[in-house]
Amino acid sequence: DRQTTGGYAKIATVIEADLPHLAQARPGDTVKFTLTDSKAAAAALGEMRAVLARTAAALDAKSKQRR
């Protein structure tokens, strides 16, 4: 059987934790895909969220010091 909607087969997916890195890639940059599983992707996302939370807390504390 074939697809009825057309389009292309999906050959890769970028995990959410890597989207900011990919978004900053420049034309001509090399992009390397590596095999991962959902557990590793979820762990990477958790780590990214923790870093963002720490950064936000530090910026908030710095902002409150200036007041």
Side-chain angles (χ1 to χ4, degrees), residues 7-9 13 16-17 24-27 29 32-35 37 40 43-44 46 48 50 52 58-60 62-64:
Y8 296 96
T13 299
E16 189 173 345
Q24 293 191 23
R26 295 178 179 199
D29 283 355
K32 180 181 176 184
F33 289 88
T34 56
L35 184 63
D37 58 19
M48 182 186 78
L52 291 174
L59 290 172
D60 188 46
K62 193 171 186 177
S63 173
K64 287 180 181 179

Side-chain angles (χ1 to χ4, degrees), residues 11-59:
I11 61 167
T13 299
V14 177
I15 64 172
E16 189 173 345
D18 287 340
L19 286 175
H21 300 291
L22 185 60
Q24 293 191 23
R26 295 178 179 199
D29 283 355
T30 299
V31 176
K32 180 181 176 184
F33 289 88
T34 56
L35 184 63
T36 190
D37 58 19
S38 59
K39 187 176 179 179
L45 181 58
E47 290 172 22
M48 182 186 78
R49 287 181 174 165
V51 168
L52 291 174
R54 288 192 301 271
T55 302
L59 290 172

